[in-house]
Amino acid sequence: MMMAAGACLLGGWLLVATGGVIWGAVTGITAERQVHRVRAASERMNADLQARLDSAVARMAATSGSIDDLAHSVERRHAALTRVMTQFRGIPGAEQELAPAEPLAADRPPVARLVAVRMDQERLIARAQSFADSRAERLRLAFRLAGLNPAAYAGSPSALGGPLVDADNPEALAAILDVDESFARRIQRATDDLSDMRSLADAAERLPFGRPSATARTTSGFGVRFDPFNHRPALHQGQDFAGPLGTPIRATAPGVISFAGVRSGYGNTVEIDHGGGFKTRYAHLQGFNVTVGQRVAVGQRIGAMGSTGRSTGVHLHYEVWVNGRPQNPARFMRAGDYVQQAQD
């Protein structure tokens, strides 16, 4: 019995050892196969990238005929691209977004370096178009939030001016810029989007998209409400803001003071003409420090919050008028918030 038990133990040990050896072999083979697959995938990727570079070099060489011709082509593209990129100066985020790539090392072949520069030019014009289009679309949405038609404020002549804007024919534009036609199309699209973006941004700076007070809280909104005095439904033509007595009230857009005095029901009132049919009114003021005909900038203090006129307590009554009709100020403030996001 002891011998039989020993034989069983020996057999079990041999079985476990054999299984361990087999499992280790299988695991090793699997791991080795995985390493081979990863290595093969990496080699294929490197080969593909090299093939693309070789193909690009071959196409460029075949098209240009020589390195000198290729260099001249890159230089012409660079000159055209510079005309576009200079228009993005001063726009927040543009310098980081449209920064050129680092040049290739000097020990790389000249043709490879030229191809890399040309590919970077393609990338830059694509990102310039995307950057301008994205900013322009955000501004269009801001105008729609305010109930305005963005098409009425977009499309003014680009800062590039001259034939670059007027040449709708890609062939003519390519001849003017001395670049290939496909690159001329990209430049035209980028400048069109840039023109819209700048026109909308300039218009937004002139419209009452700001807030009359950064600290006051919103109370009564625009629309029908129960009058606080007679408790009957009545149209409230503005937005009310509550805050401490003397809270600074600021212009929501640049303009000219068209009224500064006392109006029946409004108490101490300041009105600003922003041009283009836009006007804002600031009522129930404690006092004001502007005069009729004075030009004010956006954010400039024009008065202080009070409770003059037909008022139940300290607050600001703020109105926005467009072509003689009252508008919902909340829509303009939401549009202003979105314009700020578009610039960040």
Side-chain angles (χ1 to χ4, degrees), residues 9 15 28 38 51 113 128 133 151 190 195 202 257 263 293 313 335:
L9 290 174
L15 183 61
V38 172
R113 294 202 301 271
D133 181 66
S195 176
D202 291 343
I257 303 297
R263 282 197 181 279

Side-chain angles (χ1 to χ4, degrees), residues 84 125 163-170 173 177 183-194:
V84 177
I125 195 63
L164 186 57
V165 175
D166 300 331
D168 295 329
N169 186 343
L173 184 59
L177 299 176
F183 199 69
R185 284 197 187 95
R186 293 190 176 190
I187 287 180
Q188 184 64 55
R189 287 195 294 268
T191 52
D192 287 345
D193 290 332
L194 177 61

Side-chain angles (χ1 to χ4, degrees), residues 266-290:
Y266 288 95
N268 292 331
T269 304
V270 171
E271 296 176 0
I272 304 177
D273 186 351
H274 305 286
F278 290 86
K279 183 180 75 172
T280 52
R281 176 179 291 164
Y282 312 77
H284 307 312
L285 300 175
Q286 180 189 35
F288 45 83
N289 54 339
V290 291

Side-chain angles (χ1 to χ4, degrees), residues 64-277:
S64 304
S66 68
I67 294 180
D68 289 338
D69 293 336
L70 177 59
H72 290 318
S73 173
V74 171
E75 289 172 353
R76 289 193 298 269
R77 279 189 167 207
H78 185 74
L81 193 58
T82 300
R83 296 183 64 178
V84 177
M85 291 304 167
T86 53
Q87 305 306 313
F88 286 87
R89 291 177 180 173
I91 299 177
E95 292 185 5
Q96 296 82 0
E97 185 73 14
L98 304 177
E102 292 293 330
L104 293 179
D107 58 350
R108 297 293 297 275
V111 176
R113 294 202 301 271
L114 287 172
V115 170
V117 171
R118 186 158 182 174
M119 292 176 69
D120 188 46
Q121 291 174 345
E122 294 280 352
R123 179 189 65 84
L124 281 176
I125 195 63
R127 295 186 71 173
Q129 182 184 349
S130 175
F131 180 88
D133 181 66
S134 176
R135 292 290 180 95
E137 190 55 38
R138 280 182 171 270
L139 288 167
R140 291 187 192 100
L141 179 56
F143 276 73
R144 295 189 190 102
L145 288 174
L148 304 174
N149 180 12
Y153 301 89
S156 65
S158 168
L160 293 173
L164 186 57
V165 175
D166 300 331
D168 295 329
N169 186 343
E171 294 181 0
L173 184 59
I176 292 170
L177 299 176
D178 197 17
V179 295
D180 55 278
E181 189 174 326
S182 63
F183 199 69
R185 284 197 187 95
R186 293 190 176 190
I187 287 180
Q188 184 64 55
R189 287 195 294 268
T191 52
D192 287 345
D193 290 332
L194 177 61
S195 176
D196 284 349
M197 182 191 72
R198 284 196 176 278
S199 298
L200 292 169
D202 291 343
E205 292 179 355
R206 299 190 300 269
L207 298 179
F209 284 166
R211 292 180 177 271
S213 174
T215 58
R217 67 182 188 278
T218 302
T219 53
S220 297
F222 179 89
V224 178
R225 67 169 185 174
F226 286 98
D227 187 276
F229 289 92
N230 58 30
H231 305 291
R232 296 178 181 177
L235 176 63
H236 188 235
Q237 297 185 146
Q239 182 89 42
D240 287 349
F241 297 86
L245 182 67
T247 298
I249 303 302
R250 305 184 183 279
T252 57
V256 177
I257 303 297
S258 58
F259 180 86
V262 178
R263 282 197 181 279
S264 176
Y266 288 95
N268 292 331
T269 304
V270 171
E271 296 176 0
I272 304 177
D273 186 351
H274 305 286

